[in-house]
Amino acid sequence: MRQRLIAGNWKMNKTPTEAERFIRAFLAADRGADGVETVLLPPFIGLELAGRLLRKTGVALGGQDLHFEEKGAFTGEISAEMLIACGCRYVLVGHSERRTLFHEDDGLLNRKLNAALATGLSPILCVGETLAEHREGQVREKVTAQLCADLDGIEPAQIASVVIAYEPIWAIGTGETASPEEAEGAIRMIRGWFSRAYDEEIAKNLRILYGGSVNPENAAAIVAQPDIDGALVGGASLSPETFARIVVQAG
Ligand code: PEP
């Protein structure tokens, strides 16, 4: 049985003071029953404080990115070990904004995945197609190419710690969502890829999220799909009340 997961990616939003205000309000809000795992992904500067506030609350913490080296002369970067020291259990790898705006390619993402897994972090690997690729019916080609390259050399035993987020780029921050059926089709295809590349059991246990303009109004229909195990939420994760409503809808 796969536990549902709702992750809130704050991107470059919220100072530590704002993060603290959010977390206190979110912890006080109605978040439904305990069945849904919830993860907050603040900017690096808020991680330590967030880690302290979230300790023993059942709400998990994650980083938005990491460097693949353990330490050294990499100005501006953060290591897996530093994320763990702040209390992180998860880390995003390959968000489309990192791929596009910061030119992160699959080779680099493969090294980041290896670094996360070697340190005990669970990577949330983001994959998804552009609007042009979507229109040209290239969802399968694009997503499987990303999976093949990003997961190259990742052992079957390591996949238990991996979460996949299918995020069609045209749906991120645009207010346009894939229909629940469309999202289910892509996510079922991803699960099928895992059963061929790894095995049936691994594919069955893998958590695959949908991301792209999820909000309290569309969350329930999306996570009701049989292969969709939760959501990666951007804009709607910035308000504690709105994000709590999404968690309730996923329960
Ligand atoms: C995201 O950034 O991963 C995302 C899905 O953003 P939004 O929910 O704002 O579309």
Side-chain angles (χ1 to χ4, degrees):
M1 185 70 182
R2 304 184 297 264
Q3 188 185 20
R4 283 189 179 158
L5 190 158
I6 300 290
N9 174 18
W10 291 357
K11 312 191 185 193
M12 196 173 73
N13 292 290
K14 296 195 191 297
T15 63
T17 307
E18 291 166 338
E20 176 165 5
R21 205 176 303 138
F22 176 107
I23 288 170
R24 291 195 189 284
F26 183 65
L27 293 176
D30 174 13
R31 288 174 284 126
D34 283 343
V36 180
E37 186 177 10
T38 310
V39 185
L40 296 179
L41 304 155
F44 294 146
I45 194 173
L47 283 177
E48 196 184 12
L49 174 68
R52 271 189 273 119
L53 293 169
L54 293 176
R55 198 170 297 145
K56 297 197 179 133
T57 63
V59 177
L61 186 67
Q64 296 177 14
D65 188 27
L66 82 166
H67 193 272
F68 57 81
E69 292 287 359
E70 283 174 26
K71 59 171 73 166
F74 304 102
T75 302
E77 294 292 326
I78 190 162
S79 70
E81 200 184 319
M82 291 170 187
L83 294 175
I84 286 178
C86 291
C88 290
R89 190 183 310 159
Y90 291 93
V91 63
L92 283 184
V93 174
H95 190 279
S96 65
E97 286 150 19
R98 300 294 319 170
R99 290 180 189 261
T100 309
L101 303 175
F102 302 99
H103 312 293
E104 295 196 357
D105 63 20
D106 292 311
L108 175 67
L109 299 177
N110 179 259
R111 297 180 83 174
K112 290 188 177 201
L113 276 174
N114 274 293
L117 290 166
T119 323
L121 283 168
S122 284
I124 303 175
L125 173 66
C126 303
V127 295
E129 80 286 359
T130 64
L131 182 58
E133 290 160 343
H134 183 75
R135 285 189 176 142
E136 286 160 23
Q138 293 174 350
V139 180
R140 178 185 292 271
E141 286 95 313
K142 174 63 178 287
V143 170
T144 57
Q146 289 177 323
L147 292 171
C148 284
D150 298 345
L151 294 168
D152 185 35
I154 304 290
E155 298 295 329
Q158 295 176 293
I159 298 293
S161 318
V162 173
V163 175
I164 301 294
Y166 166 64
E167 299 207 304
I169 297 170
W170 50 271
I172 297 180
T174 58
E176 260 193 71
T177 14
S179 68
E181 295 72 25
E182 219 174 356
E184 168 67 13
I187 287 176
R188 195 180 325 114
M189 178 273 289
I190 291 171
R191 204 175 293 289
W193 182 86
F194 274 90
S195 72
R196 290 187 299 281
Y198 290 92
D199 66 41
E200 198 72 42
E201 195 61 18
I202 285 173
K204 199 177 85 194
N205 292 326
L206 177 73
R207 290 191 292 179
I208 311 181
L209 315 180
Y210 167 78
S213 297
V214 172
N215 60 44
E217 281 67 50
N218 60 25
I222 290 168
V223 302
Q225 297 295 318
D227 282 283
I228 303 183
D229 302 311
L232 177 55
V233 184
S237 73
L238 294 175
S239 148
E241 293 76 23
T242 307
F243 191 51
R245 282 173 58 209
I246 292 175
V247 175
V248 171
Q249 292 301 315

